[in-house]
């Protein structure tokens, strides 16, 4: 079965410092990976996705993610954190049908709360 | 502006009552989804619909029901059979259900918070 894991419940970083939010995956076949962000009492907003191609994916609000096949990881990064980046971040992987075909069902990790201190 | 509208934003229910959460989209998307969010558990899929008049159970469908009579609408009913209904409910949509060589992005509504008293 497809799955993603976010090993950190919370990440604390000072404003201006680089940030990393970790995600590892377990999939059969090629992974389709996503990052979403959720602000308090709101829905999720899409940040970026990896389908194929370059291992470094650039997304919204200055975020990027690095796909590492050997380590089965898809960590979210930003060179310089802002207080406004404080939110809940979810990693997700696209589910696959029993016969191997892709679907748009997403399997989400448990989320990582990012707290950026001024 | 295109998007997904969920209502009500907050809902209180007494035990034993059924409640219906509304989800409307004007994105012309074929596929729609309902997720439940609980602290520390991420998002879990309740039901999804690939096309009008069709829907499938997700991972935690027990105690819930849905309908998809119109492309724009995918209401979720939380029945009295749902043992622990207090949660944040998120509706989402995507252009299609199978993206072929690509992967379609899910667009989410702002959510509905249900509290059972």
């Amino acid at each position: 079965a497809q799955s993603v894991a976010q090993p950190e419940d919370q990440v604390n970083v000072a404003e201006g410092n680089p940030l990393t939010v970790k995600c590892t995956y377990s999939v059969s076949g090629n992974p389709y990976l996503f990052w979403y962000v959720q602000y308090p009492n709101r829905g999720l907003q899409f940040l970026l996705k990896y389908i194929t191609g370059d291992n470094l994916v650039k997304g919204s609000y200055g975020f990027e993610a690095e796909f590492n096949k050997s380590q089965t990881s898809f960590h979210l990064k930003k060179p310089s954190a802002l207080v406004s980046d404080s939110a809940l971040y979810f990693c997700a992987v696209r589910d696959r049908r029993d016969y191997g075909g892709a679907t748009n069902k997403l399997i989400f990790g448990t989320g990582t709360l990012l707290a950026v201190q001024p | 502006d295109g998007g997904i509208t969920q209502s009500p934003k907050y809902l209180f229910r007494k035990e034993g009552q059924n409640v219906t959460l509304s989800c409307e989209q004007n994105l012309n998307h074929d596929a729609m989804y309902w997720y439940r969010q609980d602290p520390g558990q991420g998002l879990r899929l309740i039901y999804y619909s690939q096309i009008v008049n069709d829907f499938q159970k997700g991972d935690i469908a027990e105690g819930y029901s849905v309908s998809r009579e119109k492309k724009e609408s995918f209401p979720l009913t939380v029945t009295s059979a749902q043992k622990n209904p207090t949660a944040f409910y998120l509706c989402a949509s995507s252009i299609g259900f199978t993206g072929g060589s690509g992967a379609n992005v899910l667009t989410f509504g702002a959510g509905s918070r249900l509290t059972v008293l």
Side-chain angles (χ1 to χ4, degrees), chain B residues 45-63:
Chain B
L45 184 64
I46 304 172
Y47 268 98
Y48 62 97
S49 169
Q50 300 179 58
I51 200 166
V52 176
N53 294 321
D54 175 76
F55 51 83
Q56 306 293 331
K57 292 181 179 180
D59 300 317
I60 55 164
E62 184 176 353

Side-chain angles (χ1 to χ4, degrees), chain A residues 32 34 36 38 41-44 46 49 51 88 90 94 97 102-106 108-110, chain B residues 9 33 35 37 40 42 45 88 90 94 96-99 102-106 108-110 113:
Chain A
Y32 287 12
F34 301 78
Y36 284 80
Q38 184 181 34
N41 293 311
R42 300 302 304 274
L44 277 66
F46 170 75
K49 65 182 179 182
I51 309 303
L88 188 58
F90 288 97
R94 195 178 183 191
R97 298 180 190 275
T103 77
N104 273 339
K105 291 168 58 183
L106 292 186
F108 286 87
T110 52
Chain B
K9 191 172 179 65
Y33 314 79
Y35 284 90
Q37 183 177 12
L45 184 64
F88 191 51
L90 289 161
S94 63
F97 190 69
T98 54
N104 294 327
V105 171
L106 266 63
F108 283 84
R113 187 169 297 280

